[in-house]
Amino acid sequence: MRKIKLTLSQRRMILGLVFIAPWLFGFVFLFASPLLQSIQFSLNKLTITAGGYQLEYVGWSNFKYALFEDATFNRLLVESVGAMAVNVPLILFFSLFSATLLNQKFPGRSLARSMFFLPVILTSAAVSAAESAGLLNLLGDANAAEEMSGASGQFNTLSLMYILIDAGVPEVFVDYLVDAVLRIYDIISSSGVQILIFLAALQSIPGAMYEVAKIEGATAYESFWKITFPMVSPLILTNIIYTIIDSFMQSQVTKTVYSTAFESLNFGLSAAMSWLYTLVVGLVLVVVGALVSRKVFYQN
Amino acid sequence: MTPAKMQQQTELMYRTNRVRTKSAAWLWSLFRYVIIIGISFIIIYPILLKISVAIMDKQDIYNPTIFLVPQHFTWDNIKMAAEVLNFFPALGTTLLYVVLTMLLQAASCAMAGYGFARFSFPGSNVLFMLVILTILIPTSTLMVPMYLHFRNFDIMGIIHLFTGKDGVNTINTLTPSIITSMTANGLKSGLYIYIFRQFFKGLPKEIEEAALIDGAGGFKTFFRIMLPNATAPLITVMLFAFVWQYNDTFYTSLFMGEAELLSNKIASLPAHASAYINNALMIASPGAEPDPNHVAMVVDTGILLAILPLIVLYLFVQRYFVESVERSGVVG
């Protein structure tokens, strides 16, 4: 057999293909083909038979049913987009703030960092589901102690709201803030990965830039907006996209899609629902991506 | 003004300025500590609360003066939760499953990441866009076809061709998870490929050229030189893969719904705990109703038991993890 002579770059090409071969194989069989199948399913009525499944073409009726007849689906879809619109700015702001804090030098920094990353470990859909089912409301409730002693030891949101509204802050904004304070645990627990990404970005900013700014007389506030913010802005886009996807993954819509398929055994409808949902996520990503990437500063 | 007096005045000015900047710095660091301690408290408070509940006796539930430190200690809750969860066997199965998928995922994603970072072949950019696409498409879109695919598992009709039978039902076996993680298509694999690619892109090219001149082939270079250099992203990816697989309910409920995995067990814990306590009560005194707060206590203890291995693991690896964040290629 004659040996085929290959140039170095051709050999490198083949080697590269060998390295990505497992992924490529998986992509074709476990991602691309299910994706196409899922489009097919959404246009059909699927019945499981003993040796597989049967399809019966029904056109757009699954989509029509999901949008116009199903009692809850469109409400859930709108709600999850709304929840995302509320959460994404909060999570982004919080994670950038925490990353800036954790990037400063102070004693106990590594302890603080490991604390802030703990939520990455502990966020679990199963745990939160079980937690909401557990109804332990009486325990450690400061209200009970309050009633007994007559003293108020708890953070009183209502009075804070009145103070802010009296101070002339718009009511919508106050509601938003109070809501954020009340859900602080949710916000913290879903910003672990984002803090990580921002922190890595902050560490890649050369320290000389800050030194120069300091010599030129810039305040900390100015150097944040003139140096830190533009330098991390590409990662703001990354984080926005990650947060949007993450918030959709945990939404009620996913659960509805799952239960439609595996509890009601209506696979076609479930596929249609998940495609509607994918389109909404895609639309949000395109709009947000286009808006944000205009403002992003790239060094090159 | 005499020169001596002028000098005195400038000195005074310097001194007040220094005091001012110093006190500002001091105030800022105080503020920073208040915020950091506050946020840390919010993060660990639920864990503290669960620990407190786990060692608390039933009679303390309705005592409103108790906050975090119980008056009557007991191991009953822990015993009961462990029994309802079938804790140690389930933990063993879970760890086996999670470690297996973690290793496979780390290996396949590292290879793919290296392939995308260092080699150019026709369409490599398009293929990498497809990796990003796998992150963007919601997993629920693929759920039904994936399920049917593994329920009737048959790669390109090979089994049908040779035996004439339909595919094999692999649901509730390890096969689906092994296949998805081996082919870098498991849970959040796209993100891992991305992390590896960014890291390998950041390494100097000279290392490989030197290895090539010394006569090392592509695989030898990868395993002997590139991987040992990639401990930072490896630890990050392995920790993520471990933790997310451990906590995952999507793939486990889809492919291994009947398996003795802790995530499955936790999802059904409230119902099982209530049934368990009900049974125990029926034996003691027929007709008694289980106290919902007691059930909640056992559920909380069960959750604590389930997340405890993760916390212990994190205590050991957090140092490497926090360090690796500084050097890993999470930056885009």
Side-chain angles (χ1 to χ4, degrees):
Chain A
M1 205 168 84
R2 208 173 45 188
K3 225 177 174 184
I4 308 159
K5 283 260 183 202
L6 290 171
T7 60
L8 181 66
S9 68
Q10 275 172 325
R11 256 190 290 162
R12 296 280 294 172
M13 236 161 73
I14 291 172
L15 198 60
L17 282 173
V18 170
F19 270 110
I20 65 156
W23 171 79
L24 196 61
F25 183 80
F27 178 82
V28 171
F29 288 101
L30 298 171
F31 190 86
S33 69
L35 202 65
L36 295 177
Q37 259 186 326
S38 152
I39 298 176
Q40 190 193 1
F41 289 172
S42 67
L43 299 172
N44 283 280
K45 184 177 159 43
L46 191 151
T47 29
I48 297 245
T49 58
Y53 55 84
Q54 271 183 336
L55 294 175
E56 183 193 325
Y57 186 74
V58 291
W60 294 100
S61 73
N62 281 325
F63 286 93
K64 274 186 203 141
Y65 183 85
L67 277 181
F68 303 116
E69 283 169 53
D70 192 89
T72 53
F73 182 73
N74 43 22
R75 182 175 58 82
L76 285 176
L77 201 60
V78 172
E79 266 174 17
S80 70
V81 175
M84 181 220 78
V86 172
N87 280 336
V88 170
L90 283 176
I91 290 172
L92 273 180
F93 179 77
F94 178 77
S95 54
L96 183 56
F97 176 74
S98 316
T100 331
L101 269 187
L102 292 176
N103 196 34
Q104 291 169 346
K105 283 202 169 59
F106 56 88
R109 178 169 78 156
S110 59
L111 182 73
R113 280 189 183 175
S114 50
M115 276 290 194
F116 275 59
F117 296 145
L118 197 59
V120 179
I121 312 279
L122 298 181
T123 38
S124 154
V127 166
S128 58
E131 249 167 6
S132 56
L135 296 164
L136 200 51
N137 297 322
L138 282 164
L139 252 171
D141 191 349
N143 283 325
E146 210 174 281
E147 276 160 23
M148 286 180 67
S149 60
S152 169
Q154 215 191 13
F155 181 66
N156 198 336
T157 37
L158 210 59
S159 63
L160 179 83
M161 270 176 85
Y162 285 135
I163 291 170
L164 284 175
I165 289 171
D166 278 349
V169 181
E171 215 165 309
V172 187
F173 192 63
V174 172
D175 280 347
Y176 186 68
L177 270 185
V178 168
D179 183 50
V181 170
L182 290 178
R183 289 182 309 118
I184 187 79
Y185 183 73
D186 292 334
I187 292 165
I188 293 176
S189 65
S190 45
S191 27
V193 176
Q194 289 88 332
I195 293 177
L196 233 148
I197 293 173
F198 274 139
L199 196 57
L202 288 174
Q203 268 151 4
S204 68
I205 303 175
M209 286 182 123
Y210 291 105
E211 278 165 32
V212 170
K214 209 172 180 184
I215 292 166
E216 301 273 346
T219 59
Y221 180 80
E222 279 166 343
S223 66
F224 176 83
W225 287 108
K226 294 267 152 64
I227 302 172
T228 315
F229 195 74
M231 291 296 274
V232 298
S233 64
L235 274 301
I236 291 180
L237 182 62
T238 311
N239 265 343
I240 287 177
I241 290 176
Y242 181 86
T243 315
I244 289 174
I245 294 167
D246 203 44
S247 83
F248 273 116
M249 297 278 178
Q250 292 162 3
S251 75
Q252 277 292 325
V253 181
T254 314
K255 279 174 206 154
T256 315
V257 171
Y258 182 85
S259 65
T260 312
F262 297 103
E263 282 157 31
S264 331
L265 294 176
N266 199 340
F267 292 100
L269 180 62
S270 163
M273 280 177 170
S274 68
W275 269 103
L276 286 169
Y277 174 60
T278 310
L279 289 180
V280 169
V281 178
L283 202 67
V284 170
L285 284 177
V286 166
V287 169
V288 172
L291 284 179
V292 176
S293 59
R294 273 198 212 162
K295 303 272 171 199
V296 165
F297 167 82
Y298 288 106
Q299 221 172 356
N300 40 16
Chain B
M1 244 194 280
T2 59
K5 211 170 180 187
M6 242 168 91
Q7 204 186 346
Q8 226 177 5
Q9 228 167 19
T10 19
E11 238 171 62
L12 192 76
M13 209 176 78
Y14 273 132
R15 222 174 282 159
T16 43
N17 252 349
R18 227 173 65 211
V19 170
R20 200 187 292 157
T21 43
K22 253 196 169 170
S23 54
W26 189 83
L27 263 179
W28 168 241
S29 86
L30 182 78
F31 175 69
R32 187 167 57 200
Y33 274 115
V34 168
I35 291 209
I36 286 174
I37 292 170
I39 294 173
S40 303
F41 179 73
I42 292 173
I43 292 169
I44 57 168
Y45 176 69
I47 302 173
L48 290 179
L49 200 64
K50 285 197 181 65
I51 295 175
S52 144
V53 169
I55 55 172
M56 183 184 286
D57 197 89
K58 224 171 24 172
Q59 54 180 305
D60 282 5
I61 297 179
Y62 293 106
N63 187 342
T65 57
I66 291 175
F67 182 69
L68 285 184
V69 184
Q71 270 175 356
H72 304 87
F73 294 97
T74 172
W75 297 109
D76 283 357
N77 292 325
I78 297 177
K79 271 185 214 151
M80 219 182 268
E83 207 164 310
V84 176
L85 279 177
N86 195 13
F87 184 65
F88 288 103
L91 181 67
T93 324
T94 310
L95 286 182
L96 194 76
Y97 166 73
V98 169
V99 169
L100 186 73
T101 50
M102 171 190 82
L103 291 176
L104 287 172
Q105 253 192 319
S108 60
C109 293
M111 273 179 69
Y114 183 64
F116 280 117
R118 273 298 198 258
F119 300 93
S120 57
F121 35 87
S124 58
N125 284 329
V126 177
L127 286 178
F128 189 68
M129 290 304 285
L130 293 178
V131 173
I132 303 298
L133 187 76
T134 62
I135 308 177
L136 298 186
I137 296 280
T139 30
S140 53
T141 313
L142 306 174
M143 196 161 61
V144 175
M146 287 266 263
Y147 178 81
L148 292 173
H149 179 70
F150 282 113
R151 189 175 167 273
N152 206 343
F153 187 62
D154 193 355
I155 302 168
M156 294 180 278
I158 291 172
I159 299 174
H160 186 76
L161 197 70
F162 284 108
T163 60
K165 277 185 229 156
D166 288 313
V168 190
N169 184 359
T170 54
I171 295 298
N172 281 320
T173 66
L174 273 175
T175 321
S177 310
I178 290 177
I179 289 176
T180 48
S181 44
M182 216 164 61
T183 54
N185 267 276
L187 186 67
K188 302 208 184 198
S189 282
L191 185 66
Y192 307 148
I193 295 178
Y194 185 75
I195 291 177
F196 275 120
R197 175 181 174 264
Q198 293 308 114
F199 178 82
F200 285 126
K201 272 211 147 177
L203 286 182
K205 270 204 161 127
E206 285 78 12
I207 305 178
E208 282 159 300
E209 280 162 13
L212 191 72
I213 290 165
D214 286 346
F219 282 94
K220 206 170 179 189
T221 318
F222 178 65
F223 285 109
R224 288 284 185 77
I225 295 157
M226 299 316 268
L227 264 193
N229 272 313
T231 39
L234 262 180
I235 288 175
T236 313
V237 163
M238 279 165 98
L239 183 79
F240 279 167
F242 187 94
V243 163
W244 284 334
Q245 195 74 64
Y246 189 99
N247 284 333
D248 174 53
T249 48
F250 180 80
Y251 281 101
T252 49
S253 57
L254 194 59
F255 296 140
M256 303 182 68
E258 286 159 28
E260 289 271 298
L261 294 174
L262 275 178
S263 56
N264 287 343
K265 291 263 173 186
I266 284 293
S268 60
L269 180 63
H272 284 157
S274 148
Y276 181 87
I277 291 173
N278 208 358
N279 269 349
L281 273 180
M282 289 294 254
I283 296 162
S285 52
E289 288 276 313
D291 180 352
N293 276 320
H294 188 207
V295 176
M297 236 173 156
V298 176
V299 170
D300 259 10
T301 314
I303 293 173
L304 180 72
L305 280 182
I307 59 174
L308 203 61
L310 288 181
I311 295 175
V312 172
L313 169 89
Y314 185 65
L315 286 181
F316 283 109
V317 301
Q318 55 89 8
R319 198 160 53 88
Y320 302 101
F321 177 61
V322 172
E323 275 172 17
S324 83
V325 168
E326 301 185 354
R327 281 176 277 121
S328 76
V330 188
V331 184

